[in-house]
Structure formats: C-alpha cells, structure tokens
Amino acid sequence: MTQACRGKSVSQRKVISLDDLRVACRNCSLTSLCLPMGLAPEDIERLDEIVKRNRPLHRGDFLFREGDRFRSLFVVKTGSVKTFAPSPEGGEQVLGFHLPGEVIGLDAIDKDAHACSAKVLETSAICEIPFARLEELTMSIPSLQHQMYRLLSKEIGQDTELLLLLGKKNAEERLAAFLLSLSKRLHKRGLSATDFYLSMSRHEIGNYLGLAVETVSRLFTRFQDDGLMRVDRKHIQIIDQDALEALVGGIGQHRRQQQQS
Amino acid sequence: MTQACRGKSVSQRKVISLDDLRVACRNCSLTSLCLPMGLAPEDIERLDEIVKRNRPLHRGDFLFREGDRFRSLFVVKTGSVKTFAPSPEGGEQVLGFHLPGEVIGLDAIDKDAHACSAKVLETSAICEIPFARLEELTMSIPSLQHQMYRLLSKEIGQDTELLLLLGKKNAEERLAAFLLSLSKRLHKRGLSATDFYLSMSRHEIGNYLGLAVETVSRLFTRFQDDGLMRVDRKHIQIIDQDALEALVGGIGQHRRQQQQS
DNA sequence: ACCTTTGCTTGATCTGGATCAAGCGAAGAA
DNA sequence: TTCTTCGCTTGATCCAGATCAAGCAAAGGT
C-alpha cells in the first residue's frame, strides 16, 4: 500500500499484493450496504466471480471520464470518490461524494457512455463490475435483479433530495444538511458520526451545494461560533446534532414557501 | 369523454368507453418512446397483458401521493402530469413535467413507497403497470430488462441535468433551457416544436426552476420583447430558437465558473 | 349581468450570497 | 532554511433575483 501507483489506469492488474484488497464479497464488511445486500450466499459467490478488484487508486485518479464508453459499474470499497459533470461553459457541477459500499456509474447505462466523471478523493480501493456480465447474472438471480432496480431507484431518490436542497434551501440549511448526511453515512459504515475528516475541499463542497467557497468558509466559522461543531481544517467534530437537524428542518426564516394549485 | 369523472380513483375500471383509451400497446403511437421500445412484437403482446388502462383523469387528480404504498408504474398516454415532493417546511419542489410516453414512479421502487406525488395537469389518459408483474416479466424478456435499466438510468441522467440547471445557471438560462426542452420533447411526439400550449402555471414553472413567479413572468415578457418568442398566456410560439440555444449555452455573463483540483 | 377568485403582470425595494480583494498558515520544493 | 503554492479565511462591496405591493383580465359562480 506504500508503493506509489499514482496515475496508473484502473484496468491494470496482476500485481501481487497481500493486503485486504482482494477480499471476496463474502468476506467484505460491506455486504450489508453493497450490491450483495440480501443475496443468498451461493448467489454472492456467483456475483463475486465477475467482480474485478484492481489495485488501489490515489487522490486525483479517475475511475472514468465524461464521454468514456460505459463498461462497468464501480463500487467504493475504501476511501472516497466524487462524481462531477461539466456544465456547457466550462465549469463543473459536483454531483456526489461516494463512500464505501456506494455504486458509481449507474447514470451511464442509458446512453452507454458516461455523462459525468469520477475522481478519487483519497487513496481508495475500488471494485469493478462489468455491466454486461452483471446484467446476464441478474437474469438468473431474481433477488439480484430486484436489488439492481432498488439501487437505480435509490439513486433517483438521492438526486431528488439534492434537487430539493438546491431549489428550496438557503446556504445555512444546505451546509447543515450536507454535514448531517455525511455524518449519518459514516455512522452506517461503523465510523464516528460526530468526529470525522472531510476528504473534499471547501471548494468542492461549495460547488456541490451551489455556494461560493467564501460562503462555505463563513458558514463553518459561524457554525463553530454558535457552538454547533468544532472545525479544524478538514477535521469536523459535531457538538450539537439536534441544532443542526433543526436548521435543516427549517426552523429559521425562509424564502417564501411556494405552492401551486 | 364528456361525462364528468373528476375525483374518481385510478383503480376504478369496467366502464364501457369506446374512445381511443383502450388501444393496445401494439397499436399505440407511443411504442417508440414508451416501455415497449425495441421489444419484439410477441414480447409487446406479453407486456400488453399486464397493462391496465384506466378511465381518463382530470386536472388536479392524483396518480399517487407522497407516502402511498408503491404498486405500479404509470405511463402518460395523452395529456401531462407533474410530480412534486414536499419540502420539510410545507413548501414543495416540482420535480418534473411528464409528457406522453414518459414513465412515472421509478423513484418509489427502492423504499416501496412513493416519495413524491403525481398530479394530472390536464385531462389525461394514463396506463398503469403493476410493478410486481412487470418485474416477473423482465426475468424472461432480456430486452425488457435492459429497457428497464435504461429507463431508470435515463431518469438519473435527467435529474442530473436539472441539478446542473439549479446549481449553475441564472434565471434567464433556466427558463430558456426549460422551454427548449419542452419544445424538443413535444416535437418527438409529433407536435409542433415552435407553437404549443403550456399545461402548467407560471407558478409551477417557477417552482420547478427555483425562481419566483414574478421572475418567470418578467422573463417571458423580456423574451417576447427581445423577439425570441411570442407569448400569449399559455400559448407559446418560438420565433428564434437559435438565440434561445445560445442563451442556454451560456454566451452571456455568468457567475464565476467554479472548478476544483 | 355582477361578483369573486385565480393567475399573471409590472413596479419599487430589499437582501442573501456572489464577487472582489487581501492576508495567512501549512505543506511541499529547492 | 527560504520560497512558492494552495487552500482557507475574513472584510468590503455589489447585484440578481426575492419579496412586497398594486392592478388587471379571464374564468367561473350566483
């Protein structure tokens, strides 16, 4: 894990590494979050056979780029990944930050090409699942097919939430929602919900939330001053989770609530 | 079609109506846009057997409400539908406007319950597809399964586009993008791309685009003054499509283009 | 015919957050 | 060590679009 392999492509393999990279699905701690969720052991075995486990990637490496032909889904095993789409004018919109167990690339099935890029935020282990083989497999494993439908559907639900965030919430609510979401997802993965490190920059957070870097920075300062959390660079310690929840719920002043007939 | 059936529930049927409501999938003009896309005739026949064709719904009727148990997907045959999600404070976010051939309810598969509501914007014919039976069917028709994956994936792609709109575009670009998208979708359905009626209110457009009604209204006026289109209440005639495209592409002044390492 | 409601437009004002502009400390490079 | 870069913070100013406030016309009700 210490030798550098920055910049190498995902499709390289046949390296003898004895670390935990090659863990079979059955032994992976993520079975309850990842694709195998709810599968019978013998079905997990079959899924396991088509999963490629590549060498670890490093900060800045791409899983795929916008425009690439779609071949595989990717699952974060350890580390974190961001996905982002180019906007016509040259800027980009960060679409999501992905933690262990989360599947990346589902949006590419339709057009058979990736519409967004995926970049690794820190040294990460990634499982690669060739989609054609997965699709075959789902034909004979009903529960896997169902799991796929759920996964795709879940992604839609998440986009909807982000839509609500960008369309209806002010800066404060956005950042609070972001931090709480992160906290909860980390907790599900057995990590602390109240003490964690951000793997993304202020700039990336701002882009994701539709805010300027300066606004994000000011909000972190404000949250700390208000005793909601302690912030030291990337290190976040949540002190008053309830107050954060209240912010998101919108106990504060809001833009006019829009409703229509 | 003239007798009132406002307020009746979708699940009612056994009414003898001889209008074009009961057209089988094979005879429906939407085969090339809808679920049957790319299916062999005999497979369309099998799909057809599970489709329920209910009586027409009217403005304001619900297909389903947020929180309802998920049972079926719905496809617009004629008319239009909007979907919207409640935001915690009582407002709501319009998630989409759905035209003939478009499938509604895909976001509910994951949680087995609808996270958003769907309301009919004008008198509309809707096909209902029980999901459990559809899922069975996809097990034995590979091309239908693939079509389902594409459909779900496409929905994700569309959400991503809206995300980009809300996160990175100004008011002018948003409305231009909205009108062009509508124009193109209508055109695909054999209707005029340059002369059409809006089935949604200014309020609903504003909500969808994250803008106040007043801003939407002012922009319509501006677009007309600039000779881009003619606007008469709900009646839109696009005069200069290229200029609209240019607006969306972002040839104007923009907020700072954000990019990160 | 008259009243009420609803949706839309237009004008005036206000403000949250973007933008502009420094400055600062940590991490890496020479 | 010193220099440079990079990410972050903080302050000052600006502005797109929200909000407030009328007024108007179409549609529907009585």
Side-chain angles (χ1 to χ4, degrees):
Chain A
M1 204 86 108
T2 48
Q3 69 264 40
C5 42
R6 178 182 277 279
K8 301 293 177 60
S9 134
V10 188
S11 47
Q12 293 191 339
R13 6 181 207 139
K14 76 167 179 186
V15 175
I16 319 98
S17 64
L18 295 176
D19 52 42
D20 68 338
L21 258 187
R22 310 278 175 182
V23 175
C25 288
R26 112 183 72 86
N27 296 322
C28 178
S29 61
L30 297 168
T31 28
S32 59
L33 291 166
C34 183
L35 253 183
M37 193 172 87
L39 293 200
E42 63 268 28
D43 293 332
I44 295 187
E45 227 42 57
R46 293 173 65 193
L47 176 61
D48 192 65
E49 281 166 21
I50 70 169
V51 175
K52 291 193 214 163
R53 293 174 187 80
N54 302 299
R55 58 166 65 192
L57 299 180
H58 296 85
R59 173 163 185 82
D61 290 345
F62 280 86
L63 262 52
F64 51 80
R65 290 164 197 263
E66 183 253 330
D68 284 357
R69 169 91 192 282
F70 171 62
R71 299 176 189 284
S72 300
L73 297 176
F74 296 89
V75 183
V76 183
K77 185 186 289 186
T78 66
S80 53
V81 172
K82 77 162 178 184
T83 46
F84 57 100
S87 75
E89 305 83 30
E92 56 194 41
Q93 168 73 41
V94 173
L95 298 171
F97 301 109
H98 308 275
L99 301 183
E102 295 177 344
V103 180
I104 302 172
L106 294 170
D107 61 315
I109 298 172
D110 177 40
K111 298 197 159 46
D112 210 48
H114 289 283
C116 66
S117 303
K119 213 179 200 178
V120 172
L121 289 171
E122 60 190 315
T123 302
S124 301
I126 309 287
C127 295
E128 180 179 350
I129 309 178
F131 184 68
R133 303 196 60 188
L134 177 60
E135 203 173 354
E136 276 172 37
L137 210 54
T138 62
M139 289 300 299
S140 62
I141 307 178
S143 59
L144 181 60
Q145 190 197 50
H146 189 71
Q147 176 67 4
M148 277 298 291
Y149 288 145
R150 287 195 48 198
L151 209 60
L152 280 150
S153 172
K154 186 177 186 176
E155 187 89 1
I156 297 171
Q158 284 169 356
D159 284 358
T160 299
E161 272 185 50
L162 188 49
L163 240 36
L164 240 126
L165 209 70
L166 293 183
K168 295 276 169 293
K169 310 255 189 192
N170 64 25
E172 196 177 62
E173 296 168 314
R174 293 183 198 189
L175 187 61
F178 168 71
L179 290 170
L180 282 175
S181 152
L182 205 54
S183 158
K184 284 175 183 148
R185 284 152 69 204
L186 290 168
H187 192 59
K188 265 194 205 140
R189 285 157 183 79
L191 301 168
S192 169
T194 55
D195 188 315
F196 50 87
Y197 284 81
L198 300 172
S199 59
M200 69 294 289
S201 69
R202 302 286 194 267
H203 203 126
E204 288 165 324
I205 295 173
N207 186 309
Y208 176 65
L209 298 175
L211 301 172
V213 207
E214 294 93 329
T215 304
V216 175
S217 181
R218 276 185 252 272
L219 283 171
F220 270 124
T221 306
R222 168 133 53 101
F223 284 172
Q224 180 163 54
D225 290 350
D226 291 353
L228 301 185
M229 58 180 61
R230 191 183 310 283
V231 181
D232 176 33
R233 313 210 123 239
K234 308 266 189 187
H235 185 196
I236 304 290
Q237 295 174 77
I238 294 182
I239 295 172
D240 190 344
Q241 171 159 3
D242 293 341
L244 274 180
E245 306 264 17
L247 277 188
V248 179
I251 316 296
Q253 69 305 326
H254 284 279
R255 30 185 86 186
R256 188 200 320 191
Q257 285 315 319
Q258 303 170 317
Q259 50 234 347
Q260 61 284 325
S261 65
Chain B
M1 203 87 106
T2 47
Q3 70 265 38
C5 42
R6 180 182 275 281
K8 300 292 177 60
S9 132
V10 188
S11 45
Q12 293 189 340
R13 3 178 208 143
K14 75 167 177 184
V15 174
I16 320 99
S17 65
L18 294 177
D19 53 40
D20 68 339
L21 259 186
R22 311 278 177 181
V23 175
C25 289
R26 108 183 75 85
N27 296 322
C28 178
S29 60
L30 296 170
T31 28
S32 59
L33 290 166
C34 184
L35 253 184
M37 193 173 88
L39 293 201
E42 63 269 27
D43 292 334
I44 295 187
E45 227 42 56
R46 294 174 64 194
L47 176 59
D48 192 64
E49 282 166 22
I50 70 168
V51 175
K52 290 194 215 164
R53 292 172 187 81
N54 302 299
R55 58 168 62 193
L57 299 180
H58 297 85
R59 173 162 185 83
D61 290 345
F62 280 86
L63 262 54
F64 52 79
R65 290 164 197 263
E66 185 252 329
D68 284 357
R69 169 92 193 281
F70 170 63
R71 298 178 189 284
S72 300
L73 297 177
F74 296 90
V75 184
V76 183
K77 185 187 289 187
T78 66
S80 53
V81 173
K82 78 162 178 184
T83 46
F84 57 100
S87 75
E89 306 83 30
E92 56 194 40
Q93 168 73 40
V94 174
L95 298 171
F97 301 108
H98 308 274
L99 301 183
E102 295 178 344
V103 180
I104 302 173
L106 294 169
D107 61 316
I109 299 172
D110 177 40
K111 298 197 158 47
D112 210 47
H114 288 283
C116 65
S117 303
K119 213 179 200 178
V120 172
L121 289 171
E122 60 189 316
T123 301
S124 302
I126 309 287
C127 295
E128 181 179 348
I129 309 177
F131 184 69
R133 303 195 60 187
L134 177 61
E135 204 173 353
E136 277 171 34
L137 210 54
T138 62
M139 288 301 298
S140 61
I141 307 178
S143 58
L144 181 61
Q145 189 197 51
H146 189 69
Q147 176 66 2
M148 278 297 293
Y149 287 145
R150 288 195 46 198
L151 209 60
L152 281 150
S153 171
K154 187 177 186 176
E155 187 89 0
I156 297 171
Q158 285 168 355
D159 284 357
T160 299
E161 273 184 48
L162 189 48
L163 239 36
L164 240 125
L165 209 71
L166 293 183
K168 295 276 168 292
K169 310 255 189 195
N170 65 25
E172 196 178 61
E173 297 168 314
R174 291 183 200 190
L175 187 61
F178 169 69
L179 291 170
L180 282 175
S181 152
L182 206 53
S183 159
K184 283 175 183 149
R185 284 153 68 203
L186 290 168
H187 192 60
K188 265 195 205 140
R189 285 156 184 80
L191 301 168
S192 169
T194 56
D195 188 315
F196 51 88
Y197 284 80
L198 300 173
S199 59
M200 68 295 289
S201 70
R202 303 285 195 266
H203 203 126
E204 288 166 324
I205 296 173
N207 187 308
Y208 177 65
L209 297 175
L211 300 173
V213 205
E214 294 93 330
T215 304
V216 174
S217 182
R218 276 185 252 271
L219 284 171
F220 270 124
T221 306
R222 167 132 55 102
F223 284 172
Q224 180 164 53
D225 291 349
D226 292 352
L228 301 184
M229 57 179 63
R230 191 183 308 284
V231 182
D232 176 33
R233 313 209 122 239
K234 307 265 189 187
H235 185 196
I236 304 291
Q237 295 175 77
I238 293 180
I239 295 172
D240 191 346
Q241 172 159 3
D242 293 343
L244 274 180
E245 305 264 16
L247 276 187
V248 179
I251 316 295
Q253 67 305 325
H254 283 280
R255 28 185 88 185
R256 187 200 321 189
Q257 286 315 320
Q258 304 170 315
Q259 50 234 347
Q260 61 283 327
S261 65

